[in-house]
Amino acid sequence: MNELTFGVVSVGNIGSAHAASLFAGKIDRSRLGFLCDSDPAKKAFCAERFPGVPFFEDAEELFAARPDAVMICVPHPLHAELGIKALEAGINVICEKPLDVSVKRAKALCDAAEKNKKALAVMLNQRTDPIFRKARELFLSGAIGELKRSVWIITNWYRTQEYYDSGSWRATWNGEGGGVLLNQAPHNLDLWQWICGMPATLRADCRIGRFHDIEVEDEATLMCRWENGAEGIFITSTGDYPGTNRLEITGTKGRILLEHSRLTLETFEPDERVFRLDESKKPRETKKLEYTFEEKGSHKKIIANFAAHLLDGEKLTAPGRDGLNQLVLSNAAYLSSFSGKEVSLPPDGDEFEKLLAELQKNSAKKSASSSAPDGEYRKRWQVNW
Amino acid sequence: MNELTFGVVSVGNIGSAHAASLFAGKIDRSRLGFLCDSDPAKKAFCAERFPGVPFFEDAEELFAARPDAVMICVPHPLHAELGIKALEAGINVICEKPLDVSVKRAKALCDAAEKNKKALAVMLNQRTDPIFRKARELFLSGAIGELKRSVWIITNWYRTQEYYDSGSWRATWNGEGGGVLLNQAPHNLDLWQWICGMPATLRADCRIGRFHDIEVEDEATLMCRWENGAEGIFITSTGDYPGTNRLEITGTKGRILLEHSRLTLETFEPDERVFRLDESKKPRETKKLEYTFEEKGSHKKIIANFAAHLLDGEKLTAPGRDGLNQLVLSNAAYLSSFSGKEVSLPPDGDEFEKLLAELQKNSAKKSASSSAPDGEYRKRWQVNW
C-alpha cells in the first residue's frame, strides 16, 4: 500500500481544514477520498471546494465506501459513538480531541480499536510542537531531577461572547459537554501530563459563566498532586485578555520554563535533596540554557504520523489511549468542583456520567451540530505565547 | 523634640541589625537609647558593639527608662504581649512582623495603641520597595481597570534544614507559630493585599514538613476570591531551589507583571467588558511600558518613616492595623488547610486560637527564644527576583 485514502466525517471548522490539507496533497502518501456531513447544505461547499470527492450525508455510507482511515470531526459528544462504528467497520480512526466528553465513553472507543485491531489516534496536534517535545525530552531525561512542582498559567484562550454565540452547540453541556477544560485547554492538559506524568489527586474550581453568558465553565483552576508529592497548579480562562501562557516545571535538580516561545533550562548540582541536608554543598551557580523555536506544531504532522504508522509502523505521536488522560483530568475537575471535594485519579466513570446527565438535564436544549466550514486551520487554535 | 530615643527589645538577628542602624546614626533624627535582652549572654555582644548604650535584661526596666519608641524584636508569639506593655507604659512601638501569630492577639495590640494614643507601626519593610510602590500606585490609579486575577508565585524563599535547626524556636507551633506563611511570606501576603485589596474568601493547602524535618508548613498554596469575583493564587515554598518570584495582576484594562526587578505594564482600550460583548471593538494593540528599579526597600526606611510620623506627623507607611491583614490571610490558610474547607475573611478569631492551641499541644516543647545577633540585615531577608 503506497497511498492511504481518508474519509472526513463532518465538514465543519476543523473537518474542512483537514479535508483541505488532504485534498491539496499536503500530507505525504495520503489523499482525500470521501466526505460526509449530515447537513445537506455542506454538500455545495464540498462540491466547490473539493471537486470530484464523493460526498455522503450518512457516515455509515462513507464507511461502506472503505476508506483506509476516517477523521472524526463531529461535535465532541458524538466522537466515541461514531468512532466505534468506524472501527467496527474495520476502518482506522483519527479522532478530533477530546476523544469524547467522558472517560467512560472515550475508553469504550479505545477498547473498540483494540478489539478490532485498528489504529486509533487523537488529534493532539500540539504534541508535534518542538518546544513541548523538547520540554518532554529534557524532563524524561532527568535533566531537572525529580518533579517537585509545576505551574501552568494558560489564560490566553480569550474568547468573546460572539464566539460562544457563533455555534448553538458551543458552551453547552448537551452540545459540547464542557467549557474551557473541554474545548480550549485539553491540549494543555494533555501536554502537562505528557511531560510531567499524570497526577494522583486533584481539586478544582470550575467557574460557570464567570465572564460569558454560557452554562459551562469559562475559567478553571486545578490543584493537583503527583504520587511523589509534587504539586501542580493549572490555571485557564477564556476571559483574560490578552492572557498568559507560562509553564514552569521545577525539579530537584533544576527548572524548565516555557514562555514567549522560549524554553529556558536551569540546572544545578548536586540534587537539592543533598544540599538541603548539607548547606556546604549548596551550588555556587546554576547553569542556564535557552532554546528558541521557529517551527510550530501542526495538525498535518499528526495526520502524517498516522499515515506513517499505518504504512511503515512508525510509533504514534498521539495514540488514542493517550487521549484519555486529558479527560481524566477534566472529568475529575468537574467532579471536584461540583462536589467541593478532592478526587483521586482516575475518577469514577459512572459517577461522572451521573453528574454529566444531571448537567445535561438542565442544559439549554441545544444539540450538537457542526459549524461553518472554510477549509482553513484557524489562528485561534494556535499556541499563543 | 528634635531627636527620638529608641529602645530595642531583644538583640537577636533582626534586633541587632536595627540597633546597629540606629547606633550608626543611619536614621535621621533617631538614636539608639537602650537595649534589652533576657539572654544575659547578649550583654557582652552589646557592650562591645554598642558601647555606652544602657542594657537591660528586663523589658519593663527599659520601658521605665522612657524611650520615645521601642522596637519589638522578640519571637513572634511574644510580640503582642510585650508591645501592649510598651504602649500601656506610654511608649510608641515599631513591631517586627508579624504583629503576633494570631489575628486576635494582633488586634489586641492595635487596640492598645489606640487606647493609649500611641503610634504603632509594623516592620513591613518591603512596602518601601519602589517596585511594589509603583505597582500599587498603578493599580489604585485604575491603570489596569478592575481586578480579574492575580497570581503570585513566590517560591524563592529557599531554606536548608540547617537554617531550621539554627534556632530551637524556628518552625515550631510553640516557638514561631507557623512556617513559611508566618516567617518568610508574610511580606508577600501583605504586599499582595496592599496592592490588590483583601480577598473575601480563601482556600488553602499548607503542607507540613514537605521538604524539611519541621512541624509547620514549608509550602502553601492559597486560592482566594475577591468580593468582585476576582481570583487569586498565591504559591510559596521554602523547598524550591532557586525558586521563582513572579507577580501577575490582571485587570479588565490591562496587566501588571513584576518579575526580575522589572515592572511591566500592559494596557489596552476599551475595557475588556466592552469588547467581550462587541468583538468589533477588540483592541488592535496593547500598550507596553517597562519600569526597572535599582533601589530596594529597606528596614531603615520604615524606622525613618516612623520617626517622621512622630516628629512631623508624616503618614505611616505600615500602620499597625495594616499588619492584621497578613495574619488574616495566614490564619485563614491554616484554618482552611486543617479543615479542608473554604474560609470567609476575616476568619473566626476564637476558632483559630483553638486550632493553634491544639497544634501547640502537640508541638515540640521548644520555647520562643531569640537568635544570635550580628548587627547586620541579612541577605536572606531581601526580595529576590
Side-chain angles (χ1 to χ4, degrees), chain B residues 327-341:
Chain B
L327 284 168
V328 164
L329 292 167
S330 61
N331 286 191
Y334 294 137
L335 279 170
S336 169
S337 187
F338 283 101
S339 70
K341 288 181 186 156

Side-chain angles (χ1 to χ4, degrees), chain B residues 56-292:
Chain B
F56 304 96
E57 289 184 20
D58 184 84
E60 309 215 21
E61 286 176 40
L62 183 147
F63 300 158
R66 316 279 330 136
D68 297 305
V70 288
M71 300 190 69
I72 302 289
C73 306
V74 295
H76 312 156
L78 307 174
H79 282 180
E81 188 188 331
L82 199 65
I84 290 169
K85 281 186 187 159
L87 292 162
E88 287 182 346
I91 300 165
N92 301 293
V93 168
I94 302 183
C95 185
E96 259 304 323
K97 59 86 205 167
L99 283 177
D100 205 287
V101 299
S102 76
V103 177
K104 196 173 174 178
R105 297 175 204 187
K107 212 169 161 297
L109 177 61
C110 297
D111 291 346
E114 275 167 33
K115 197 182 121 212
N116 293 286
K117 296 188 174 53
K118 289 290 145 191
L120 172 67
V122 55
M123 187 49 81
L124 296 169
N125 50 295
Q126 294 194 8
R127 285 191 177 195
T128 64
D129 194 317
I131 194 169
F132 296 117
R133 299 186 76 78
K134 185 70 187 176
R136 183 170 191 255
E137 175 203 316
L138 288 169
F139 183 80
L140 295 183
S141 76
I144 61 163
E146 199 184 296
L147 184 66
K148 265 187 184 177
R149 185 184 317 282
S150 181
V151 182
W152 200 341
I153 307 175
I154 171 69
T155 52
N156 65 354
W157 287 118
Y158 184 72
R159 296 291 183 265
T160 61
Q161 185 65 39
E162 195 173 314
Y163 162 84
Y164 285 113
D165 296 343
S166 71
S168 66
W169 58 284
R170 285 198 188 284
T172 61
W173 293 110
N174 273 321
E176 196 164 19
V180 61
L181 287 178
L182 209 72
N183 185 308
Q184 288 80 25
H187 287 299
N188 310 99
L189 289 174
D190 173 63
L191 292 165
W192 204 32
Q193 66 82 29
W194 191 51
I195 299 168
C196 302
M198 276 296 275
T201 61
L202 179 153
R203 244 171 222 267
D205 191 9
C206 302
R207 291 183 65 182
I208 304 300
R210 177 179 167 200
F211 301 105
H212 305 90
D213 182 18
I214 54 174
E215 64 183 42
V216 294
E217 87 289 354
D218 51 8
E219 163 175 306
T221 306
L222 278 57
M223 288 178 65
C224 301
R225 191 166 303 174
W226 276 264
E227 194 61 50
N228 75 343
E231 287 273 347
I233 294 280
F234 184 93
I235 304 168
T236 192
S237 158
T238 61
D240 290 17
Y241 184 88
T244 298
N245 186 1
R246 181 184 187 276
L247 170 59
E248 170 179 304
I249 307 169
T250 304
T252 54
K253 289 172 70 179
R255 184 173 77 156
I256 294 169
L257 179 67
L258 274 68
E259 198 178 12
H260 310 306
S261 307
R262 195 170 54 236
L263 188 159
T264 308
L265 171 69
E266 286 169 282
T267 54
F268 49 81
E269 290 282 354
D271 191 296
E272 184 274 320
R273 290 168 292 191
V274 173
F275 61 85
R276 185 190 300 168
L277 300 176
D278 182 353
E279 199 157 314
S280 71
K281 295 199 171 117
K282 208 168 162 184
R284 279 159 204 270
E285 49 172 23
T286 62
K287 208 173 123 187
K288 199 169 174 175
L289 284 173
E290 286 200 347
Y291 304 84
T292 49

